[in-house]
Amino acid sequence: AEMSRSLVGLQTARAAYELALQQDSTYALAYAGLSAVHYFLADYAYAPVGPALDSARRMALRAVALDSTLPEARTARAVTLATSLDFDAAEHEFQRAIALGPHNARAHYWYSVMLVALGRGKEALVAATRAQELDPLPPRGLTAMKRYAEWLVTGKRPYLDSAVTARRPILRLEPGEPWARSREAAELAE
């Protein structure tokens, strides 16, 4: 789900995870992956938000039930708790995911997303920077989280001084990425 957030990309990821579960119905990583797919289906408005997030929650719970030591399962659970606005429980799950997998870039990244949402810029910048250090191909929204965290800390947005077409590096890797493309279009229109 992290590689392509297009509808086709998410459908392909869902099919792959479902195929894995046909082979092994106890494969916790596949449930964690399905949780992410359903989250993105909601986030990108490819599916009705309520049912998609409900599915994400169920898949995350199943992943944790199957392997509570898996950082990806704990991260999936944390994301679903955060989308339910249960930030204390989400933070506990993120911290547990990071303790279980300190080198898991996705756990650090998703934690930074929640910290940005909560206005905790310094902590978000630390988490996002750690995610970037751990993964040469960091999670897709990492650039945005670092920018948002920096803005929370400094009140400045220096990337706005660059050309609109240079602001979203993900478009070099995936030119049709829906969110980046729509933001670029809105900024060009402005």
Side-chain angles (χ1 to χ4, degrees), residues 111-128:
Y111 188 37
S112 79
V113 171
M114 186 185 81
L115 292 169
V116 163
L118 295 175
R120 293 164 53 187
K122 288 180 184 178
E123 294 168 88
L125 195 52
V126 168

Side-chain angles (χ1 to χ4, degrees), residues 141-159:
L142 183 66
T143 299
M145 286 313 112
K146 287 188 79 174
R147 288 174 180 172
Y148 298 153
E150 183 179 327
W151 181 50
L152 287 168
V153 172
T154 67
K156 297 178 182 173
R157 298 187 289 175
Y159 75 93

Side-chain angles (χ1 to χ4, degrees), residues 14 34-59 80 83:
R14 180 171 53 192
L34 278 172
S35 179
V37 166
H38 287 284
Y39 168 81
F40 288 125
L41 288 170
D43 194 44
Y44 281 79
Y46 294 135
V49 172
L53 291 179
D54 286 344
S55 293
R57 280 189 221 44
R58 283 193 312 275
M59 298 299 152
T80 65
T83 62

Side-chain angles (χ1 to χ4, degrees), residues 94-173:
F94 279 125
Q95 290 171 347
R96 183 76 177 127
I98 290 167
L100 290 167
H103 293 48
N104 186 302
R106 300 298 183 273
H108 290 278
Y109 163 71
W110 282 107
Y111 188 37
S112 79
V113 171
M114 186 185 81
L115 292 169
V116 163
L118 295 175
R120 293 164 53 187
K122 288 180 184 178
E123 294 168 88
L125 195 52
V126 168
T129 300
R130 184 65 181 136
Q132 188 172 37
E133 292 168 356
L134 291 170
D135 192 343
L137 291 171
R140 167 154 316 182
L142 183 66
T143 299
M145 286 313 112
K146 287 188 79 174
R147 288 174 180 172
Y148 298 153
E150 183 179 327
W151 181 50
L152 287 168
V153 172
T154 67
K156 297 178 182 173
R157 298 187 289 175
Y159 75 93
L160 292 177
D161 294 335
S162 62
V164 169
T165 56
R167 293 180 190 170
R168 290 182 178 74
I170 187 61
L171 291 174
R172 284 184 235 125
L173 295 172

